Amino acid sequence: MESAIEIKPDISYKSAGKFEETRFEKIHNEIFKNSTEASLVVAQEIAQLIRSKQEKNKSCVLGLATGSSPIKVYEELVRMHKEEGLSFSNVVTFNLDEYYPMTRENNQSYHHFMHQHLFNHIDINPENVNIPDGTVAIDELNQYCIDYEMNIKNAGGLDFQLLGIGRTGHVGFNEPGSHINSGTRIITLDHITRVDASSDFNGIDNVPKRAITMGVSTILRSKRIVLMAWGQNKADIIKRTIQGDISSEIPATFLQNHSNATFVLDQSAASELTRFKTPWLVGECIWNQELKSKAIVWLCQKTKQSILKLTDRDYNNNGMSDLLAQEGSAYDLNINMFNVLQHTITGWPGGKPNTDDSHRPERATPAKKRIILFSPHPDDDVISMGGTFSKLIKQGHDVHVVYQTSGNIAVTDDEALKFAEVSNDFITDADTKVNFKSVIEFLNNKSENQIDSLEVRKLKGLIRRRESYAATRYIGLKDSNTHFLDLPFYETGQIKKNPLGLEDIAIVKDIIEKIKPHQVFAAGDLADPHGTHEVCLNAIFAAMKELKPQPYMDDCWLWLYRGAWHEWDIHEIDMAVPLSPSEVLLKRHAILYHQSQKDRVMFQGNDSREFWVRAEDRNKNTAILYDDLGLAEYEAIEAFKRFDY
């Protein structure tokens, strides 16, 4: 058997990522700007390993993962096969896991996933593909799992194991409590794991309760391990895995025992690591304004004091003695930070006319601005910035709300059936382009995993559209300023969307050219469970980049708001818009016009609260944080970050 050092590809992660050994971290990790860059490097390592094995006329045994994390890796491997001649003829694969029970034909099966994203597009020998079988009889499972282990051993062991990580700290489906010596077996899924998968299955009740998984010991016997994690949702478990003690409660911590494991992370997933969260506790820092703000807010929260009450001792005792020496005194640091935060607060999100704007987040001129509020789904506008939306209208700006997708996938079948039956009772088929009888028949006989018909998707889209009109009318916007783009990437009829295309960018570009805005508000929350927010934001970035040479774009500022999952950290906020109690209530009522998203939210992520509750709690919490720092006390605050595109 070859040693780990012999088979480790000569890929220089350090040339692309950043790694500094610290006393806090127990697993080697590499941080990349985004998941795309990281995925390309991982794919290059796999390709180099395959080629090096081919040169020696040996098989390359890969352990493969499913889920959202490895998708871009598989896309790059497919590209290298088609464009660079990378052959998989010598590759043998073993997948980590599969739901149980689960047929191969089910769209949610990992057998379907792997063929959809990789195997159908490369020259791998089908006999070399090994994926746990979710149809094995329960009384035969024990022997099946033993045989799976033996197949891996007979293939020479895993040369390379690709991993993701769940919020419970599972690798494969090794949930909390899994033993370091565990082998391939059937396991009961943790409730959190099933909650995270619920949107893929249209509800937690449809998520299997069990799965077949490789064991911890099986994974640890791999010669090389790369674990990938993307996004803010993984930040906490990544910190606990890399910096915490080894424990069966977080099975991923067992990777600390492996001599050739690397965690490949994007900046969001790495954000809770000590060297990123509180770098002043690790070593000396280069103190720019952003880092000063981050550190002082952290110090206030740690000492439970307002900014102006911090002392020299507070700074010295908490790793900031170099900052104190640089600035001279706590007094100077405190008053400067207080002013920075004070200047983010404004009740005039479009700029206050006829005033000195040198210490305001927005320009005073022009007094009446043209504004685009981009909303990825037909409710993000009011959920994320309903109070600011209302202020902009009341203060006389020309506000346009632009819904980027139809949102039809988030309407339940029961909700659609209710509308179809009401419409069928009210309108004859001759009076409408939608045949409601066929819609009713389809919904009543819809089979598991069946994609909605075009008529059903149209109906669901219309439900979201009319709810949006009701909400924006309540806010005070006229119908002519409400726009629906129905971007093509979204219209697949299923949870999995198409990649962002040129047509999507062109549509976004057209609406910007038409309105020529002074302000653009867009969703900067990339924790959306299915990535629609990220695709919509990338469409805006691409469109604005193409339009940048246009003279009117010199006066266009881009403001990012957060969605239903996370808020900006205090030090990241460039504009804080206070809401009165009546404005909080107005925002709540506007959200409640989206009745199809109430009570039975299909894609709520890991938070069981309804969207209006999340939004209200988040806005009130931001106000509390400002108050705790010694600034004015408000009922609620909506927060924005300016982005230089």
Side-chain angles (χ1 to χ4, degrees), residues 319-457:
M320 301 182 206
S321 57
D322 57 334
L323 174 60
L324 188 64
Q326 176 182 308
E327 297 295 325
S329 71
Y331 176 83
D332 293 331
L333 278 166
N334 296 348
I335 197 70
N336 288 337
M337 185 62 210
F338 183 88
N339 288 334
V340 166
L341 287 179
Q342 182 69 40
H343 294 157
T344 65
I345 302 172
T346 180
W348 297 82
K352 188 173 184 179
N354 305 315
T355 58
D356 177 11
D357 59 10
S358 56
H359 295 302
R360 291 180 175 274
E362 249 297 352
R363 304 147 292 172
T365 57
K368 305 301 180 186
K369 293 182 174 66
R370 294 184 300 276
I371 298 169
I372 293 179
L373 196 176
F374 280 109
S375 180
H377 302 96
D379 58 1
D380 291 306
D381 53 335
V382 289
I383 289 173
S384 302
M385 54 174 292
T388 302
F389 188 179
S390 175
K391 283 182 186 290
L392 291 168
I393 294 171
K394 290 178 180 177
Q395 291 167 6
H397 299 288
D398 181 21
V399 181
H400 295 256
V401 64
V402 177
Y403 298 107
Q404 292 175 269
T405 71
S406 67
N408 60 50
I409 196 70
V411 178
T412 65
D413 293 343
D414 290 341
E415 190 78 10
L417 181 60
K418 176 180 70 177
F419 276 85
E421 289 174 337
V422 169
S423 301
N424 190 59
D425 290 342
F426 187 72
I427 305 173
T428 64
D429 292 347
D431 295 327
T432 178
K433 294 180 181 179
V434 177
N435 185 332
F436 288 107
K437 286 183 178 179
S438 67
V439 169
I440 293 167
E441 182 179 353
F442 177 91
L443 292 170
N444 279 326
N445 295 283
K446 184 178 177 182
S447 60
E448 184 181 8
N449 298 313
Q450 185 176 1
I451 296 174
D452 285 341
S453 67
L454 287 174
E455 288 182 321
V456 171
R457 283 154 56 189

Side-chain angles (χ1 to χ4, degrees), residues 188-208:
T188 299
L189 298 178
D190 189 276
H191 176 71
I192 293 175
T193 299
R194 295 182 67 236
V195 168
D196 287 349
S198 62
S199 56
D200 291 331
F201 286 85
N202 289 331
I204 192 169
D205 293 341
N206 300 319
V207 181

Side-chain angles (χ1 to χ4, degrees), residues 90 235 413 485 577 580 622 628:
N90 69 319
D413 293 343
L485 301 187
V577 181
S580 68
T622 303
D628 289 345

